[in-house]
Amino acid sequence: MSFFTNQLKVWFSQSHRPLPWKGEKDAYLIWLSEIILQQTRVEQGLPYFERFRERFPTVHDLANAPEDTIMKTWEGLGYYSRARNLHAAAKYIVHTLKGKFPSTYEGIRALKGVGPYTAAAIASFAYELPYAVVDGNVFRVLSRFWGIQTPIDSTEGKKQFANLADRALQASSLAPSQHNQAMMDFGAIHCKPKAPLCSHCPLNGQCAAFQNKKVDQLPVKSKKIKKKNRYFHYLVVNAGPQVMLRKRTEKDIWRNLYEFPVLEWPEAKASEQEIRRSAPWEACIGDRPARIEQISPPQQQTLTHQKIQAVFWEIHLEDEPPSISELAPYILADRKNLSNFAFPKIIDWYLGDNSLYLKLV
DNA sequence: AAGTCGGGGGA
DNA sequence: TCCCCAGACTT
């Protein structure tokens, strides 16, 4: 264990990557960065971190903001439950904890959206508490160096790697924050998933995977994911300067984001008749005279567990639109205000590609 | 224990 | 295409 920690320390002293939250001691900002970086590459999350820090400098700013504003700031980053949980936790900190960020592992772990990894990261970075982080990088480094083939996504594996990570932290002469940073930086920069830099690795002398030529086989993951196909037919209902929208409130993808009235259909192909007879058409248009035109081709978006194909139908009402009250849960939004709504990527693609922001009827 | 939740980047 | 990314929550 001491060979591992000592070599890691040497490597870290000359190779760590500079990031804006390194050395940060404001627990709020550390928490913010860790939530943003869950399952997200540093390069992808960085601009979001800067944006959030600017718009919400303190936990009070975040707690007091409308959720739609937070969702809009999060737009495009994915895994939107992180944003919802971030808001809920901010309100909890302000209203229940009187604005004081929790300073124990258990207290931090109790925040919505904070699991074992994030709690350990905040506890060590903000308070130098001795909790070892175990993220994707750490799984990889540990499984390779010790040649552990237990699947990292199994209950047994999580326990085993957590124990190993704790022992490494105990053995390290670095402070908890520095040791944790070193483990993750080493995994990200040197012990990479593909094409790791084994030939000049300071750990290769005792790395089980390297000695046995099994670097490319570790770590082991057991679960496989199946993707479902889904077909969305979006009704882009234009009523003068306004367009119809809805908020996705159901328990499904993109919860609390906005989209056009949608018909989910068994296939990407649908006739104009089928669109005109659909439930969203009935709710948004009814018997009113309307022109309809399909935008081609269908747009694709791949999520973790499903592949979405979206067809956009542009619809123009000849007369007055339905009143707001009979339209609920749909809403009418001015086109010039569309930039205030948070949309899934596929809707954003349509808005950008078709310049709906700029179209003036 | 298994399923669900985004989006982007690299090979 | 497939895999992975400073994972967590729900069922």
Side-chain angles (χ1 to χ4, degrees), chain A residues 9 55 77 81 101 111 114 121 124 143 170 178 211 215 224 226 239 255 263 267 277 289 291 294 304 313 317 331 347:
Chain A
K9 181 181 178 182
R55 286 182 87 142
L77 193 55
S81 63
F101 202 94
L111 299 175
V114 174
S124 63
S143 70
Q170 295 305 321
Q178 296 304 294
Q211 300 294 328
V215 174
K224 292 164 191 165
K226 287 180 187 169
R255 185 143 64 101
L263 168 66
E267 51 183 339
R277 281 199 291 262
R291 291 186 291 112
Q294 181 181 345
T304 307
W313 300 79
L317 288 178
I331 62 173
I347 300 290

Side-chain angles (χ1 to χ4, degrees), chain A residues 21 24 26-38 49 58-59 62-63 82-83 85-93 101-102 108 111-114 118-119 121-122 125-126:
Chain A
W21 47 82
E24 179 63 58
D26 181 344
Y28 164 69
L29 291 178
I30 293 170
W31 168 57
L32 183 58
S33 73
E34 292 301 339
I35 300 298
I36 287 174
L37 290 171
Q38 286 168 3
F49 174 71
T58 72
V59 69
L62 197 58
R82 292 184 291 170
N85 289 333
L86 190 72
H87 194 209
K91 289 196 280 194
Y92 168 73
I93 292 168
F101 202 94
I108 297 165
L111 299 175
K112 278 190 182 179
V114 174
T118 305
I122 299 172
F125 296 154

Side-chain angles (χ1 to χ4, degrees), chain A residues 16 21 30 71 74 85 94 102 114 130 133 138 147 161 193 199 236 248 252 275 279 284 302 306 316 320 326 335 343:
Chain A
H16 72 95
W21 47 82
I30 293 170
M71 298 309 286
W74 197 274
N85 289 333
V94 167
V114 174
V133 295
V138 176
F161 285 102
S199 59
V236 186
R248 291 184 64 93
D252 194 1
I275 297 297
C284 296
T302 304
Q306 38 194 302
H316 294 272
E320 293 299 302
E326 75 181 290
R335 284 197 189 142
F343 297 110

Side-chain angles (χ1 to χ4, degrees), chain A residues 6-17 22 174 177-183 185-186 202:
Chain A
N6 287 338
Q7 293 301 100
L8 179 68
K9 181 181 178 182
V10 171
W11 176 88
F12 187 59
S13 67
Q14 44 204 26
S15 306
H16 72 95
R17 29 173 198 182
K22 278 191 180 176
L174 290 170
S177 68
Q178 296 304 294
H179 173 78
N180 281 338
Q181 289 282 8
M183 290 285 287
D185 278 2
F186 180 70

Side-chain angles (χ1 to χ4, degrees), chain A residues 127-142:
Chain A
Y127 306 112
E128 291 297 355
L129 296 173
Y131 290 88
V133 295
V134 185
D135 72 335
N137 293 307
V138 176
F139 275 122
R140 188 168 55 254
V141 171
L142 295 180

Side-chain angles (χ1 to χ4, degrees), chain A residues 50-68:
Chain A
E50 301 294 0
R51 204 186 310 171
F52 268 90
R53 182 168 61 176
E54 198 166 317
R55 286 182 87 142
F56 314 106
T58 72
V59 69
H60 297 90
D61 300 311
L62 197 58
N64 293 335
E67 188 186 79
D68 277 0

